[in-house]
Amino acid sequence: MTSRWTWHGGGLAAARAQFGEGRDPWIDLSTGINPLGWPRILDIDIDWSRLPDEAALRALEQAAAAHFGADPAHVCAVPGTEIGLRLIGEQLDGPLFHRSPSYRTHGAMAPGARPIAAERLAEADGATLILANPNNPDGVLLGESAMLDLLDRRGQGWLIVDEAFADTDPKPAMAAHVAEDRRLIVFRSFGKFFGLAGVRLGFVLGPSAMIAPLRARLGAWPLSAAAIAIGTAAYRDAAWIGATRMRLIDAASALDGVLEEAGFAPRGACPLFRLIEVEDATALFGQLARRSILTRPFDAQPHWLRLGLPGDGQALARLAAALRGG
């Protein structure tokens, strides 16, 4: 299958156009975004009449750095990690590999990027390596020692780590290891864990040799006042963050139960999504879509289907019924 839905998650309007409106509202399980996001967005006072304040932007980066366990001097806010990946890609040279399969933009962010399978990462020693951790879409999570070993083997290359789904784990990730003397660049996403992808907020962490040119390319007002205010407040909400991490584990366990009951073996260490292998993923994608449930197929892996978390018990029950063909 090669379509709107194999490129990225989302595409609900295209799904409605192709599969129509059923008797029940559409459920979008295609993105891996927290379906019950940070709830206090309407409480934020945003001054729409003024340009975003530089001091407020620095406060956002400090709040995010505290959440990541990183030095604020190494944290640069960007209007979504998609843009950040491509801007950093402009600064890269030399041999460059991206783990495959993974997030599609990793292969498009820099000219000449070559795919490399997870079991062959040693062949990229001495070169720049781009990978996601946890990986998307299979949810494979490499431990800290394995990641530091990859960093040690870069030579004059860079280790570029996309931690878009790392917020679900309270343990420090590679963001905490960014330093001036390390050839390490880390990306973090706001929208997935906090469930506010429309805010378009992300972060690039790296040494000043990479961050300073990035800030120059972004210019004076890289983010909207809304993104700055919402992100700052959300990263400071430690109580919600802690409770949400526990809730996502419970929700993922419930999803596992439904998938296992339907005969699948769900995979993935990230509680925001699960991957299943099925003989004909295109057929199952269509079966679910005809019941107004959108999932994520993959053109290069025709046996894979990724499912995000249903937002409540009713949505989970609808998924269970649709998997049964009911």
Side-chain angles (χ1 to χ4, degrees), residues 55 57-77 175-176 178-180 203-208 211-212 215 236:
L57 177 60
R58 298 289 89 82
L60 165 64
E61 291 173 342
Q62 290 169 2
H67 176 77
F68 306 149
D71 184 338
H74 298 139
V75 178
C76 178
V178 172
E180 286 297 310
F203 299 86
V204 182
L205 293 80
S208 57
I211 295 301
R215 289 194 190 280
R236 290 174 175 170

Side-chain angles (χ1 to χ4, degrees), residues 1-321:
M1 174 193 293
T2 301
S3 71
R4 166 64 183 82
W5 304 290
T6 63
W7 182 253
H8 283 301
L12 197 56
R16 285 191 170 102
Q18 179 159 334
F19 297 98
E21 294 286 355
R23 62 183 182 183
D24 297 309
W26 274 88
I27 300 172
D28 187 358
L29 305 182
S30 69
T31 63
I33 295 169
N34 183 356
L36 295 175
W38 190 67
R40 300 178 180 91
I41 189 168
L42 296 180
D43 299 334
I44 303 300
D45 184 21
I46 300 167
D47 187 349
W48 294 103
S49 66
R50 301 181 62 187
L51 289 168
D53 184 75
E54 183 178 354
L57 177 60
R58 298 289 89 82
L60 165 64
E61 291 173 342
Q62 290 169 2
H67 176 77
F68 306 149
D71 184 338
H74 298 139
V75 178
C76 178
V78 293
T81 51
E82 177 77 11
I83 290 175
L85 285 164
R86 295 178 185 275
L87 291 178
I88 286 294
E90 294 178 354
Q91 300 187 52
L92 300 174
D93 55 19
L96 190 149
F97 294 86
H98 63 97
R99 176 178 171 175
S100 181
S102 191
Y103 185 56
R104 190 184 292 268
T105 299
H106 294 171
M109 63 183 282
R114 290 177 283 174
I116 187 168
E119 62 272 15
R120 296 173 52 205
L121 293 183
E123 298 177 23
D125 285 1
T128 293
L129 175 64
I130 307 166
L131 75 162
N133 199 43
N135 191 45
N136 173 19
D138 57 20
V140 171
L141 177 66
L142 297 179
E144 183 179 37
S145 61
M147 294 298 295
L148 289 173
D149 180 60
L150 287 174
L151 178 59
D152 289 341
R153 287 158 35 199
R154 297 283 56 82
Q156 292 304 303
W158 292 86
L159 179 63
I160 301 177
V161 187
D162 186 343
E163 293 184 341
F165 291 99
D167 291 308
T168 60
D169 192 335
K171 296 190 296 293
M174 289 301 286
H177 293 282
V178 172
E180 286 297 310
D181 60 349
R182 288 193 174 114
R183 296 182 69 81
L184 172 65
I185 302 169
V186 174
F187 290 85
R188 296 294 289 249
S189 172
F190 173 77
K192 294 178 175 61
F193 175 75
F194 289 93
L196 298 172
V199 172
R200 303 312 304 138
L201 175 60
F203 299 86
V204 182
L205 293 80
S208 57
M210 300 300 280
I211 295 301
L214 176 61
R215 289 194 190 280
R217 288 281 280 118
L218 288 168
W221 302 287
L223 301 180
S224 69
I228 293 171
I230 292 166
T232 303
Y235 278 121
R236 290 174 175 170
D237 194 346
W240 183 88
I241 289 169
T244 297
R245 284 169 171 159
M246 298 301 296
R247 180 178 58 79
L248 290 175
I249 291 173
D250 292 340
S253 178
L255 176 59
D256 287 342
V258 165
L259 295 173
E260 289 165 357
E261 185 177 351
F264 302 108
R267 297 162 50 187
C270 176
L272 284 170
F273 61 86
R274 287 294 188 258
L275 185 76
I276 59 174
E277 291 198 42
V278 56
E279 183 174 348
D280 187 347
T282 299
L284 182 57
F285 170 84
Q287 174 182 321
L288 297 176
R290 286 187 290 274
R291 291 161 177 79
S292 301
I293 299 175
L294 183 61
T295 55
R296 174 70 194 280
F298 301 88
D299 50 6
Q301 291 84 30
H303 302 299
W304 284 9
L305 198 67
R306 192 190 69 188
L307 300 92
L309 293 179
D312 54 31
Q314 182 179 21
L316 186 66
R318 279 184 55 194
L319 174 63

